[in-house]
RNA sequence: GCUGAGGUAGCCUAGUCCGGCAAGGCGCCAGCCUUGAAAGCUGGUGGCGGUGACGCCACGGGAGUUCGAAUCUCCCCCUCAGCGCCA
């Protein structure tokens, strides 16, 4: 996760102006420190290179002399004093480069000009609203209670077995969960996406390239005794799929539909309506992920957003789309839309989709470039990701809207083909 | 888990025993040749710094020995094969 150091040198004012929009003075200070370290490093490189050149020249003289059978002791003696100065210069060069890179990695991605200026999620800008907010038809109770009453979920026993945030799904709800996944996957496949089931565990190295380091320890589950992490979303292993490779220009835009279980520590935030499935440590998600040329990413961002909207439109769940503001957009994304579905019982819009254009920020850190066969290029592709459906939260929206007065659960019409045509679950 | 073999440029490979400018092939680019193309021939084809000439770096990563490390020593990472265990 790095921005282009070349840009810091060629147009620092542009970078500074962009970072300023994030309303965090620490970034500007960070930028100044990166630039200072970079200047010092460039000086140190020249000095270290000069000493290395001298050493190499002497080494070659020794080699040549030895080859011709001339005595070399004198020359070896003379070059014996060289290492101390060189070691010091090389140490300084390496240290400055590491310091610069450590600081550089902490700089967030550059924001797209269309990102609205604002301090937090209250200042996100609504760009689209679809459907009319509905009233709950069923008993006025949180979805968790409704699901337990139907025998569709076990929250108490889930907590006992694995702790808060874990749950058992059972019976028809399992089938409904799978129906949602298959529905979203089919929709994406019809639009040119290739389904991918990625590894659910990822090494630290690629993980650091694709996420915000500051969030890392708060969000990720680590495997004890291994440098492996449970994935928080299939976005991460999908981004790492072509780590260190040259992507053929002819193969992009490359549209992938990730299907995975995701694991998040999600510390904090548990109100009454968040109990149950709203905020959990483990959930299934169908994800859209794209590698593309830089000039395509803005249009593809809209395409991913349209796909995500289509999922909820076909489920007939009202939603709105917000353009996430500068203070809420996060480190990795250059531009982000959230789709917020209508939750009938909560009488409010809640986030169900996050749709991001990460530009070259992830791909550069992963060492991915575009090129033709046999000819690697310098252009770094853009990566984009968007939820298609994260099932637990979608299930909550469905329960809040589709539960009937008698407590049974109506199946959204679009999911019935995946449930042997059934239109009702429970009862 | 045990044993063994490996990691060299976009790809494939040599060099490692015995330390001295990383050789060759494929692909790609350009030029020559050609009516055109292919073949053939010639040159080029990584990263960093430098306006530039040029220099430095790069053989999985790190440390060490040495005037000098792809090559010797140590630590670590990863891959593959065989055996074992296992859904």
């Amino acid at each position: 996760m790095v921005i282009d150091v070349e840009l810091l040198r060629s147009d620092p004012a542009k970078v500074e102006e962009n970072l300023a929009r994030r309303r965090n003075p620490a970034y500007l200070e960070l930028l100044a420190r990166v630039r200072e370290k970079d200047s010092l490093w460039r000086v140190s490189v020249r000095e270290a290179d000069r000493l290395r050149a001298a050493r190499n020249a002497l080494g070659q003289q020794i080699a040549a002399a030895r080859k011709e059978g001339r005595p070399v002791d004198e020359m070896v003696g003379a070059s014996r004093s060289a290492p101390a100065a060189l070691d010091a210069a090389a140490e300084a060069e390496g240290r400055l480069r590491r310091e610069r890179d450590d600081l550089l990695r902490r700089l967030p991605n550059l924001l797209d000009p269309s990102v609205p200026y604002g301090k937090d999620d209250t200042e996100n800008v609504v760009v689209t609203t679809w459907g009319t907010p509905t009233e709950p038809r069923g008993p006025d109770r949180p979805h968790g209670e409704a699901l337990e009453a139907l025998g569709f979920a076990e929250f108490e026993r889930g907590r006992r077995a694995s702790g808060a945030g874990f749950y058992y799904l059972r019976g028809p709800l399992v089938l409904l969960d799978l129906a949602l996944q298959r529905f979203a996957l089919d929709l994406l496949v019809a639009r040119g996406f290739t389904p991918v089931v990625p590894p659910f565990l990822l090494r630290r190295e690629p993980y650091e390239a694709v996420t915000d380091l500051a969030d890392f320890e708060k969000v990720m589950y680590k495997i004890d005794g291994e440098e492996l992490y449970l994935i928080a979303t299939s976005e991460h292993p999908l981004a790492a799929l072509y780590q260190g490779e040259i992507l053929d220009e002819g193969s992009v835009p490359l549209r992938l539909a990730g299907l995975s279980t995701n694991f998040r520590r999600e510390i904090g935030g548990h109100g009454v309506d968040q109990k149950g499935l709203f905020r959990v440590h483990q959930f299934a998600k169908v994800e859209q992920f794209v590698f593309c040329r830089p000039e395509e990413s803005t249009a593809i961002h809209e395409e991913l957003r349209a796909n995500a909207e289509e999922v909820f439109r076909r489920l007939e769940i009202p939603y709105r789309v917000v353009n996430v503001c500068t203070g809420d957009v996060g480190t990795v994304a250059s531009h982000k839309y959230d789709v917020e579905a209508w939750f009938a019982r909560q009488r409010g819009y809640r986030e169900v989709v996050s749709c991001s254009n990460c530009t070259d920020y992830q791909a550069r850190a992963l060492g991915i470039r575009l090129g033709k066969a046999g000819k690697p290029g310098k252009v770094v592709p853009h990566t984009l990701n968007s939820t298609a459906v994260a099932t637990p939260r979608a299930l909550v929206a469905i329960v809040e809207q589709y539960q009937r007065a008698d407590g049974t659960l109506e199946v959204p019409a679009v999911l019935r083909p995946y449930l042997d045509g059934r239109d009702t679950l429970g009862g």
Side-chain angles (χ1 to χ4, degrees):
Chain A
M1 34 178 305
V2 281
I3 61 178
D4 189 358
V5 70
E6 197 54 47
L7 188 62
L8 296 192
R9 294 173 188 163
S10 63
D11 199 349
K14 181 180 168 185
V15 175
E16 183 170 344
E17 191 183 330
N18 194 293
L19 285 176
R21 298 188 69 223
R22 285 181 176 269
R23 306 177 58 133
N24 184 347
Y27 286 139
L28 297 180
E29 195 188 319
L30 195 55
L31 174 63
R33 289 177 63 201
V34 172
R35 294 192 60 211
E36 189 197 345
K37 288 291 181 196
D38 188 47
S39 299
L40 292 171
W41 173 74
R42 289 160 84 179
V43 172
S44 75
V45 163
R46 299 183 71 163
E47 175 62 8
D49 281 359
R50 188 181 62 79
L51 291 167
R52 286 193 190 104
R55 179 201 64 188
N56 292 347
L58 218 77
Q60 282 175 35
Q61 283 174 34
I62 292 170
R66 179 167 290 163
K67 205 172 179 181
E68 295 166 14
R70 286 187 278 123
V72 296
D73 289 0
E74 196 180 326
M75 281 187 279
V76 170
S79 60
R80 214 162 251 160
S81 59
L86 176 55
D87 285 352
E91 190 280 329
E93 187 264 335
R95 176 173 44 79
L96 286 164
R97 178 170 37 78
R98 277 191 302 276
E99 286 173 356
R100 180 199 67 183
D101 289 347
D102 285 347
L103 295 168
L104 185 63
R105 265 190 287 274
R106 285 158 54 193
L107 283 177
N109 201 354
L110 297 176
L111 294 171
D112 187 89
S114 67
V115 176
Y117 188 71
K119 68 175 189 300
D120 56 32
D121 59 358
T122 62
E123 297 191 328
N124 294 342
V125 174
V126 176
V127 293
T128 302
T129 301
W130 182 86
T132 308
T134 50
E135 288 291 311
R137 288 178 283 160
D140 185 18
R141 57 186 178 188
H143 76 274
E145 288 178 28
L147 289 172
E148 285 188 311
L150 283 160
F152 285 4
E154 301 266 20
F155 295 107
E156 185 56 41
R157 293 191 176 101
R159 281 190 285 273
R160 200 197 303 152
S162 303
F166 291 96
Y167 53 93
Y168 291 84
L169 300 184
R170 52 190 297 170
L173 193 62
V174 173
L175 304 180
L176 188 61
D177 185 286
L178 290 173
L180 270 171
Q181 293 177 50
R182 189 60 200 265
F183 156 65
L185 205 55
D186 285 355
L187 186 147
L188 294 179
V189 168
R191 294 176 180 204
F193 285 73
T194 302
V196 178
V197 175
F200 292 3
L201 282 75
L202 201 60
R203 289 193 186 127
R204 187 177 184 103
E205 186 195 13
Y207 231 118
E208 287 185 341
V210 297
T211 59
D212 177 4
L213 293 175
D215 286 354
F216 203 79
E217 306 298 337
K218 282 184 286 186
V219 174
M220 307 298 305
Y221 284 107
K222 185 176 187 304
I223 303 297
D224 191 34
E226 311 252 358
E227 284 295 309
L228 282 173
Y229 295 81
L230 286 164
I231 58 170
T233 160
S234 59
E235 169 202 338
H236 301 146
L238 290 178
L241 178 58
Y242 298 110
Q243 184 183 14
E245 293 191 41
I246 310 298
L247 267 188
D248 193 291
E249 286 173 349
S251 70
V252 297
L254 183 62
R255 295 173 174 83
L256 304 175
L259 174 62
S260 73
T261 305
N262 311 294
F263 303 90
R264 297 182 184 181
R265 292 175 66 198
E266 301 280 20
I267 298 161
H270 296 284
V272 61
D273 285 304
Q274 306 220 323
K275 266 197 147 136
L277 292 178
F278 193 84
R279 191 179 174 84
V280 288
H281 291 314
Q282 171 189 320
F283 61 98
K285 177 158 65 76
V286 177
E287 178 83 354
Q288 311 178 65
F289 192 90
V290 178
F291 292 97
C292 70
R293 297 162 198 267
E295 62 271 23
E296 297 172 316
S297 71
T298 300
I300 288 175
H301 191 210
E302 297 301 320
E303 174 191 322
L304 299 193
R305 172 190 148 190
N307 292 342
E309 286 188 45
E310 185 70 14
V311 168
F312 285 86
R313 209 175 301 156
R314 292 212 206 163
L315 288 169
E316 299 177 74
I317 295 171
Y319 64 82
R320 66 183 187 187
V321 179
V322 299
N323 191 0
V324 177
C325 76
T326 53
D328 191 34
V329 70
T331 305
V332 181
S334 169
H335 187 196
K336 177 155 81 175
Y337 294 116
D338 281 353
V339 176
E340 300 179 338
W342 177 254
F343 283 68
R345 182 194 125 84
Q346 298 176 54
R347 289 178 175 77
Y349 289 101
R350 302 282 183 268
E351 180 184 337
V352 288
V353 164
S354 186
C355 178
S356 301
N357 183 353
C358 298
T359 62
D360 60 9
Y361 195 72
Q362 292 178 318
R364 179 174 298 105
L366 287 164
I368 303 172
R369 287 174 294 165
L370 290 173
K372 286 189 196 116
K375 193 188 176 190
K378 289 189 175 183
V379 175
V380 177
H382 282 193
T383 62
L384 304 99
N385 66 83
S386 171
T387 318
V389 69
T391 60
R393 209 165 275 192
L395 288 171
V396 173
I398 289 169
V399 169
E400 292 198 9
Q401 177 172 314
Y402 281 87
Q403 193 179 26
R404 298 198 185 91
D406 65 2
T408 61
L409 187 61
E410 182 186 349
V411 178
V414 75
L415 298 181
R416 290 174 198 167
Y418 298 97
L419 289 163
D420 293 327
R422 271 191 283 179
D423 61 7
T424 302
L425 299 179

